């Protein structure tokens, strides 16, 4: 009897410990996952997701890195192409530099801090590679010598977005609702501007100003000349996706599935589409303009919508997958990445006909979601 | 279903965070809120434990234990009858503990969900909060810092000159768990729950060891937000017992208490040919009531029992 009770208590204690530990494991796993990074150059699509970086052309794999699965590697940030090289960041403080044609490793950079998770893509400008890290550190390395950083600047909060380099300054947003400006040469912090919400996606430079959307349900402009911040669009839902800035208009999508188009000069609303997904599914991926000038919106629930510049629907396609990565445009097509699903990449024509699909490496293509 | 349960916790936690703008304070207030909600249950647990102890002191109970010591089924049947007659619910004391288990799991998941570290975690959070109560744009990013801790990570205090982190919170959790276990154990003799019977004493003994170890292990390895919950929860429970006037301060006098515990359930009279297993653990005051059971007394040394050795017969 006593023995049974001893066993019972031991089992209960172990069960509790295991349950909480497994909770921790799951949480860590959940917090360690993201969506695929995707880049296009000509008709080659480069994608980084989980343990692999791949180059795909017409649905066929050109190469995949690494050759063997390495569970210690986790890639999420969109690869960056510069010349013959491809740069991609890992979740464990490394930048892998690959030959973009063969996928061979050219060099590996390990950031000093082990807490540096690279969620956003690095930027290469003026002989420097600027690496944003989720621990709030921005590191600059000379592309000729990766042994030590030229400078490292610590920001007040995490960085999830790709910096923008402009006129000798690095503009980078941190999650504590700030737009920070750093001197490109020295890494000195020049200025920090408070905004009304966290900036979740990349900054857009067009027409001499920087555009960014915030979780505070607004799209702002920052004027590098005079340092002024202006609100040009207000939305119903929080905004994750970066705005699409065209010659005369700006298109914004929010997390309630609404799409807004405003005139850039007058800042007046041209048209608004409410809840385009019908189920309030958020839009995380930034809108893109296709080669035929139409606008592509990819909702998180995998629905693809194409509108003309006047907001009229041109086509809709449901993929039954999930997409948070901004599609990339190439030729008269576009490619987008999905999770979880039976395919990592799919390419569509401008009228939403499927060109090809790429399943991904065995452990990058997630399983079909349960219904 | 479970996710919805966790989401309620997440919403309440984040709502408190929105009000106080400090995640550590939010966890403390949330813990107090949970403890206040289950206060009536805890109160009934305290009363139930006291009633149980009183009952176990009664001559009828002791006689019954003696009488049916070789017939477990009959003993259980008679015990249930007695519980019923005296209006004691033997499971009442377990309820608050059982209720707290899902709360602990849910809180842990809520803390981890709130302190996001990647875009996907953030996206998950936006879907889990109730928009009528909270606006994610207002509370994000959640600052996980509290004192020297990152509440989403296991806690360590790094001091100059020491090249390792001191798990202060885990130590405090262990200390307060030991204090809570000792101070809140009801005893008719002011000692411990040894009076609950042999198996009860064994369970108590095991819990005395397991609970601080388990809590300490979890506080050491899991997010410090959860450790903070454990700490505040322990302190609150001690205060609660204090308010009810049921704190067993004598249990803190370790030297004396040891004697009291070990000799408290005084050598019990056992009829001839006793089995080596412990039949009862009668309180000292009641020993006289059972002494008439047999002339030839075989005394069980409870120190042996406490040391998890086979009880030794002292002739």
């Amino acid at each position: 009897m006593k023995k049974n009770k001893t066993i019972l208590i031991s089992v209960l204690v172990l069960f509790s410990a295991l349950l909480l530990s497994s909770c921790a494991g799951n949480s860590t796993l959940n917090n360690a996952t993201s969506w695929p990074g995707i880049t296009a150059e000509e008709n080659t699509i480069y994608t980084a997701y989980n343990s692999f970086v791949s180059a795909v052309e017409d649905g066929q794999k050109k190469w995949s890195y690494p050759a063997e699965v390495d569970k210690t590697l986790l890639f999420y940030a969109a690869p960056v192409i510069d010349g013959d090289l491809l740069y991609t960041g890992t979740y464990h403080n490394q930048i892998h530099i690959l030959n973009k044609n063969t996928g061979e490793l050219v060099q590996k950079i390990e950031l000093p801090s082990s807490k540096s998770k690279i969620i956003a893509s690095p930027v290469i400008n003026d002989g420097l590679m600027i690496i944003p890290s989720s621990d709030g550190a921005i590191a600059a390395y000379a592309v000729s010598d990766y042994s030590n950083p030229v400078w490292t600047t610590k920001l007040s909060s995490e960085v999830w977005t790709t910096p923008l380099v402009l006129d000798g300054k690095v503009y980078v947003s941190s999650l504590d609702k700030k737009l920070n400006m750093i001197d490109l040469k020295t890494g000195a912090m020049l200025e920090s501007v408070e905004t009304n919400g966290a900036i979740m996606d990349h900054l857009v430079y067009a027409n001499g100003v920087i555009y960014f959307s915030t979780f505070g349900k607004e799209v702002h402009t920052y004027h590098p000349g005079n340092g002024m911040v202006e609100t040009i669009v207000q939305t119903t839902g929080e905004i994750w996706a970066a705005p699409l800035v065209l010659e005369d208009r700006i298109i914004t999508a929010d997390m309630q599935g609404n799409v807004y188009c405003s005139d850039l000069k007058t800042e007046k609303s041209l048209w608004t589409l409410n809840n385009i997904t019908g189920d309030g599914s958020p839009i995380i991926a930034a809108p893109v303009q296709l080669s035929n000038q139409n606008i592509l919106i990819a909702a998180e629930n995998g629905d693809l919508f194409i509108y003309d510049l006047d907001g009229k629907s041109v086509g809709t396609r449901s993929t039954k997958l999930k997409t948070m990565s901004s599609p990339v445009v190439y030729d008269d097509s576009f490619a987008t990445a999905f999770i979880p699903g039976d395919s990592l990449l799919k390419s569509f024509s401008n009228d939403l006909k499927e060109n090809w699909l790429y399943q991904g490496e065995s452990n990058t293509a997630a399983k079909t979601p349960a219904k | 279903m479970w996710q919805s349960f966790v989401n309620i916790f997440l919403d309440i936690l984040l709502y408190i965070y929105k009000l106080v703008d400090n995640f550590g304070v939010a966890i403390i207030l949330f813990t107090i809120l949970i403890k206040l909600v289950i206060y009536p249950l805890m109160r009934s647990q305290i009363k139930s434990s006291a009633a149980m102890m009183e009952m176990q002191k009664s001559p009828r109970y002791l006689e019954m234990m003696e009488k049916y010591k070789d017939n477990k089924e009959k003993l259980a049947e008679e015990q249930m009858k007695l519980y019923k007659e005296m209006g004691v619910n033997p499971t009442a004391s377990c309820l608050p503990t059982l209720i707290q288990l899902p709360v602990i799991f849910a809180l842990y998941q809520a803390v981890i969900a709130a302190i996001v570290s990647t875009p996907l975690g953030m996206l998950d959070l936006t879907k889990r909060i109730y928009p009528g109560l909270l606006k994610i744009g207002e509370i994000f990013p959640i600052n996980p810092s509290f004192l020297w801790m990152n509440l989403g990570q296991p806690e360590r205090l790094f001091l100059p000159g020491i090249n390792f982190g001191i798990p202060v919170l885990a130590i405090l959790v262990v200390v307060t768990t030991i204090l809570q276990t000792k101070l809140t154990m009801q005893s008719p003799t002011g000692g411990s729950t040894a009076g609950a019977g042999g198996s009860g004493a064994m369970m108590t003994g095991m819990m005395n060891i397991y609970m601080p170890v388990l809590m300490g292990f979890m506080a050491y390895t899991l997010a410090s937000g959860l450790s903070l919950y454990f700490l505040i929860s322990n302190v609150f429970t001690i205060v609660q017992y204090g308010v009810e006037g049921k704190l067993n301060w004598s249990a803190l006098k370790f030297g004396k208490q040891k004697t009291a515990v070990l000799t408290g359930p005084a050598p019990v009279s056992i009829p001839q040919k006793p089995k080596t297993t412990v039949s009862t653990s009668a309180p000292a005051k009641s020993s006289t009531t059972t002494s008439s059971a047999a002339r030839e007394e075989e005394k069980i040394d409870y120190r042996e029992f406490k040391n998890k050795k086979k009880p030794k017969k002292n002739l």
Side-chain angles (χ1 to χ4, degrees):
Chain A
M1 186 71 176
K2 280 177 218 164
K3 198 179 172 185
N4 287 344
K5 279 183 179 168
T6 310
I7 292 168
L8 181 70
I9 291 174
S10 305
V11 167
L12 275 175
V13 167
L14 278 173
F15 177 74
S16 306
L18 279 174
L19 196 59
L20 275 179
S21 302
S22 63
C23 288
N26 278 337
S27 303
T28 308
L29 190 68
N30 286 338
N31 283 343
T33 54
S34 187
W35 43 83
I38 177 171
T39 306
E41 193 185 63
E42 295 175 351
N43 59 347
T44 304
I45 312 299
Y46 300 92
T47 183
Y49 184 53
N50 276 351
S51 302
F52 290 99
V53 182
S54 306
V56 179
E57 203 172 292
D58 293 327
Q60 301 298 313
K61 182 172 79 176
K62 276 178 75 175
W63 53 259
S64 195
Y65 169 85
E68 298 285 319
V69 64
D70 181 351
K71 291 285 183 189
T72 62
L73 290 178
L74 287 170
F75 300 101
Y76 299 119
V80 173
I81 309 290
D82 188 60
D84 279 340
L85 299 176
L86 177 147
Y87 300 79
T88 185
T90 76
Y91 200 71
H92 299 105
N93 70 314
Q94 293 172 343
I95 292 280
H96 290 231
I97 304 172
L98 312 177
N99 181 313
K100 75 168 186 186
N101 300 310
T102 62
E104 282 172 9
L105 180 68
V106 175
Q107 193 155 3
K108 194 191 294 183
I109 308 166
E110 188 142 337
L111 297 182
S113 168
S114 60
K115 289 181 181 173
S116 303
K117 302 171 199 164
I118 301 168
I119 290 172
S121 311
V123 173
I124 298 170
N125 189 291
D126 204 15
L128 287 176
M129 176 165 57
I130 317 295
I131 306 169
S133 164
S134 73
D135 70 350
I138 306 292
Y141 284 82
V143 292
S144 53
D145 175 16
Y146 291 119
S147 54
N148 284 301
V150 176
W151 53 259
T152 302
T153 301
K154 189 90 166 84
L155 300 182
S156 50
S157 184
E158 295 174 59
V159 178
W160 288 4
T161 58
T162 301
L164 171 74
V165 180
L166 197 66
D167 298 332
K169 290 180 187 172
V170 179
Y171 295 83
V172 60
S173 63
S174 48
L175 280 187
D176 56 352
K177 308 177 184 180
K178 285 179 184 166
L179 176 62
N180 307 280
M181 281 137 268
I182 300 166
D183 186 277
L184 178 64
K185 293 284 175 216
T186 63
M189 178 69 99
L190 300 173
E191 200 184 342
S192 197
V193 178
E194 286 268 358
T195 69
N196 75 329
I199 302 164
M200 306 302 290
D201 207 350
H202 62 270
L203 309 169
V204 178
Y205 180 69
N207 311 317
V209 291
I210 296 168
Y211 297 83
F212 57 93
S213 45
T214 73
F215 249 30
K217 304 177 183 179
E218 287 178 351
V219 177
H220 298 284
T221 53
Y222 175 80
H223 297 257
N226 57 19
M228 270 181 62
V229 178
E230 282 181 300
T231 303
I232 58 164
V233 180
Q234 287 186 316
T235 61
T236 312
E238 286 86 7
I239 319 171
W240 189 304
L244 171 64
V245 183
L246 303 175
E247 206 171 310
D248 61 342
R249 63 193 65 199
I250 181 168
I251 292 161
T252 309
D254 72 16
M255 292 185 70
Q256 292 180 4
N258 306 313
V259 182
Y260 310 81
C261 178
S262 298
D263 187 280
L264 272 180
K265 276 188 186 166
T266 63
E267 294 176 14
K268 283 186 178 169
S269 172
L270 296 174
W271 48 264
T272 302
L273 303 168
N274 293 319
N275 191 11
I276 60 168
T277 55
D279 61 0
S281 185
I283 297 165
I284 307 299
V288 294
Q289 188 171 35
L290 300 175
S291 56
N292 62 4
Q293 308 303 305
N294 284 337
I295 310 301
L296 169 68
I297 309 276
E300 192 228 0
N301 67 358
D303 289 354
L304 304 173
F305 302 89
I306 295 182
Y307 299 97
D308 68 12
L309 288 173
D310 295 324
K312 279 187 187 165
S313 176
V314 175
T316 306
R317 182 170 181 138
S318 177
T319 62
K320 308 282 183 201
L321 300 169
K322 281 188 180 294
T323 183
M324 287 78 105
S325 317
S326 285
V328 289
V329 176
Y330 69 101
D331 296 338
D332 285 334
S333 302
F334 67 91
T336 191
F338 297 95
I339 56 161
D342 53 7
S343 52
L344 179 63
L345 292 174
K346 280 189 177 186
S347 165
F348 300 91
S349 63
N350 283 350
D351 54 358
L352 289 172
K353 284 179 185 149
E354 189 174 305
N355 295 325
W356 50 259
L357 65 83
Y358 172 69
Q359 285 191 317
E361 295 300 316
S362 56
N363 77 331
T364 59
K367 290 181 176 66
T368 306
K371 289 182 181 172
Chain B
M1 176 72 178
W2 173 251
Q3 191 77 335
S4 307
F5 182 66
V6 175
N7 290 352
I8 293 168
F9 278 71
L10 185 61
D11 281 329
I12 297 170
L13 186 61
L14 291 180
Y15 187 75
I16 299 171
Y17 172 74
K18 186 185 158 188
L19 296 178
V20 298
D21 199 29
N22 183 310
F23 202 55
V25 174
I27 290 174
I28 293 170
L29 293 176
F30 180 80
T31 310
I32 293 170
L33 182 70
I34 294 287
K35 298 297 279 185
L36 286 175
V37 168
I38 60 170
Y39 192 94
L41 283 171
M42 285 295 287
R43 208 169 173 191
S44 76
Q45 180 194 20
I46 296 167
K47 283 184 177 172
S48 178
S49 303
M52 184 80 89
M53 286 303 144
E54 282 302 311
M55 192 196 73
Q56 285 169 354
K57 279 197 298 185
S58 70
R60 189 178 158 192
Y61 182 84
L62 296 168
E63 276 171 26
M64 185 179 72
M65 294 288 284
E66 193 61 38
K67 192 174 173 185
Y68 299 114
K69 68 176 192 296
D70 294 329
N71 188 347
K72 298 284 178 194
E73 278 181 25
K74 184 70 182 166
L75 178 64
E77 194 184 304
E78 290 298 316
Q79 273 180 333
M80 284 313 292
K81 266 188 203 170
L82 191 61
Y83 289 148
K84 219 172 185 180
E85 276 174 34
M86 297 187 79
V88 173
N89 182 359
T91 59
S93 59
C94 303
L95 199 58
T97 312
L98 287 177
I99 283 177
Q100 282 195 78
L101 273 180
V103 170
I104 290 170
F105 293 139
L107 177 75
Y108 179 69
Q109 291 189 9
V111 168
I112 295 298
I115 303 169
V116 294
S117 61
T118 63
L120 204 59
M122 181 61 215
L123 184 57
D124 179 54
L125 181 65
T126 61
K127 290 175 179 176
R128 293 173 71 169
I129 62 168
Y130 178 60
L133 188 70
L134 289 163
K135 289 180 177 61
I136 190 72
E138 289 175 3
I139 56 168
F140 185 78
I142 290 153
N143 183 1
S145 303
F146 178 62
L147 301 175
W148 66 92
M149 301 169 241
N150 177 335
L151 295 166
Q153 303 288 326
E155 174 269 345
R156 301 286 184 274
L157 177 63
F158 290 90
L159 294 174
I162 302 174
N163 57 0
F164 61 89
I166 305 164
V168 178
L169 212 50
I171 293 167
L172 286 175
V173 166
V174 170
V175 170
T176 53
T177 307
I178 292 169
L179 281 177
Q180 186 208 323
T181 314
K182 286 194 170 291
L183 287 172
T184 60
M185 277 184 179
Q186 299 296 309
S187 163
T189 59
S192 78
T193 51
S199 57
M202 185 168 188
M203 284 184 77
T204 304
M206 288 180 66
M207 291 305 278
N208 280 341
I209 299 163
Y210 272 129
M211 282 310 286
V213 170
L214 174 69
M215 301 292 265
F217 172 74
M218 289 197 293
Y220 184 80
T221 54
L222 302 179
S224 51
L226 191 71
S227 311
L228 193 60
Y229 172 84
F230 290 151
L231 178 64
I232 301 302
S233 181
N234 287 346
V235 171
F236 191 94
T237 305
I238 293 169
V239 170
Q240 197 175 5
Y241 269 75
V243 169
E244 296 289 329
K246 301 286 183 188
L247 279 182
N248 181 16
W249 290 107
S250 60
L252 286 187
K253 294 170 188 165
F254 290 95
K256 279 188 179 181
Q257 189 258 356
K258 195 175 177 184
T259 314
V261 168
L262 303 180
T263 59
V268 178
S269 305
I270 308 251
Q272 289 170 355
K273 290 193 178 179
K275 302 212 168 173
T276 49
T277 51
V278 180
S279 58
T280 69
S281 54
K285 282 179 187 172
S286 319
S287 60
T288 50
T289 60
T290 54
S291 59
S292 58
R295 270 218 165 279
E296 292 275 320
E297 285 187 354
E298 289 187 35
K299 292 169 189 172
I300 293 172
D301 186 343
Y302 277 78
R303 276 165 290 199
E304 293 295 327
F305 178 71
K306 276 281 174 183
N307 291 333
K308 294 189 171 31
K309 285 178 185 170
K310 203 174 179 182
K312 194 170 74 180
K313 294 172 193 174
N314 290 335
L315 296 172

